[in-house]
Amino acid sequence: MHPAAPIPQQPTRAPDDGRAPAGSRRPRTAEGATPAMAQWFTARAQHPGALVFFRMGDFFELFFEDAHKAGELLGLAVSHRGEHQGEPIPMAGVPAHALEGYLARLIRAGHRVAICDQRETPEQAKARKAPTIRREVVRLVTPGTVTEDALLEGSRPAWLLALCPCEGSLGAAWADLSTGAFRTEVLPEAELAALLARLEPAEVLTPAALEGHAALAPWEERIAAAEPPRDPARDLAEFFGVATMEGFGAFQPAELGAAAMALAYLRATQGEAAPRLR
């Protein structure tokens, strides 16, 4: 088993970094933040396309624009917790024991969630004379990387589809973590719309080269930006514990690129748990 990769710091097509638009009174920077809120700003900057669920004791809290967005999506009351740069901090929260139910609603609506959890006890923080408990993002929960039954839609696969253009063709790889299914295909770009309609993916990974592609327009809310690694064949062989991928069949470069994109995303979003793929 390979060691877990770092949680990806990956923007979506329209990143929301929690900063205020012109004329807004919402905080723009982390300057002057308390130690705990500085951790929130770090998590938010690392995952600008996700809602940050920030653990504080028995609750996961959402702040600033995340609080307003979650309030609308989940019917949560938005209150305030302290101040930042002279203004109240909007806040909404959910009990930690009920987190899964709220995640299910967000994931099914196509949203991504960064879970920023406590990594030590208050006593441990006090022993090392830290100003606050250490917190870090332990998992990025996305529509195409969920495995829990409560987050899945019945028997429907939650396909994560990765697309990789190469020399006029399009490599596609799709995986379902709940079953371990992992498949690849090479197709003309003109057939992309048909593939999307057939799979109805929960999430789509696309490189910059496909940005603005007409077939992807209906799936815009489900798209995450990604790029194929430098040596996809090596990455795949290493993951499956083989010298080469030849034993699995003959793959075109576009297929390998797409498969490695999907694998890298799955490994990174799962935090400390390595994905199991067939």
Side-chain angles (χ1 to χ4, degrees):
M1 181 178 294
H2 300 282
I7 300 295
Q9 300 177 12
Q10 183 168 9
T12 57
R13 292 301 182 203
D16 172 13
D17 61 3
R19 296 178 180 176
S24 171
R25 299 182 63 191
R26 194 152 48 89
R28 294 176 179 272
T29 69
E31 183 179 358
T34 64
M37 287 309 301
Q39 293 175 336
W40 180 89
F41 273 103
T42 296
R44 194 70 173 84
Q46 291 173 343
H47 304 282
L51 294 168
V52 176
F53 275 60
F54 192 80
R55 183 70 175 262
M56 300 194 79
D58 294 330
F59 286 80
F60 279 97
E61 309 284 8
L62 299 102
F63 299 106
F64 300 115
E65 194 61 22
D66 284 2
H68 292 295
K69 187 179 295 185
E72 294 176 2
L73 295 169
L74 302 173
L76 303 176
V78 178
S79 58
H80 295 88
R81 182 189 183 98
E83 291 187 351
H84 180 63
Q85 297 181 350
E87 297 182 4
I89 300 174
M91 180 195 73
V94 302
H97 67 81
L99 175 65
E100 200 170 73
Y102 290 102
L103 285 181
R105 293 166 64 182
L106 293 171
I107 295 305
R108 289 170 185 169
H111 296 279
R112 298 173 178 82
V113 176
I115 306 296
C116 190
D117 210 347
Q118 296 175 176
R119 303 296 279 171
E120 64 182 354
T121 65
E123 292 74 22
Q124 290 172 325
K126 184 177 180 180
R128 64 184 182 89
K129 299 181 179 179
T132 190
I133 297 172
R134 181 167 62 91
R135 298 176 179 86
E136 58 188 37
V137 175
V138 297
R139 184 183 175 195
L140 182 62
V141 187
T142 76
T145 63
V146 296
T147 57
E148 297 88 344
D149 290 341
L151 304 183
L152 295 167
E153 293 190 49
S155 59
R156 179 180 174 180
W159 292 121
L160 171 71
L161 172 64
L163 301 171
C164 178
C166 181
E167 298 179 354
S169 60
L170 188 64
W174 55 99
D176 177 18
L177 268 185
S178 65
T179 63
F182 194 21
R183 304 169 186 171
T184 67
E185 182 179 321
V186 176
L187 63 155
E189 280 195 29
E191 297 180 10
L192 176 56
L195 176 69
L196 291 165
R198 173 162 58 93
L199 295 178
E200 295 186 351
E203 192 169 8
V204 185
L205 304 180
T206 63
L210 288 177
E211 188 168 358
H213 196 292
L216 292 169
W219 304 88
E220 184 177 359
E221 295 300 321
R222 301 258 172 175
I223 290 176
E227 296 293 336
R230 293 181 179 180
D231 193 342
R234 182 194 63 187
D235 291 354
L236 290 164
E238 178 184 322
F239 176 79
F240 287 108
V242 296
T244 71
M245 293 295 291
E246 293 179 359
F248 293 97
F251 297 94
Q252 296 186 37
E255 277 181 291
L256 293 174
M261 282 172 62
L263 175 61
Y265 191 75
L266 289 171
R267 292 181 67 181
T269 56
Q270 295 309 292
E272 298 173 353
R276 297 182 179 182
L277 300 173
R278 292 185 279 109

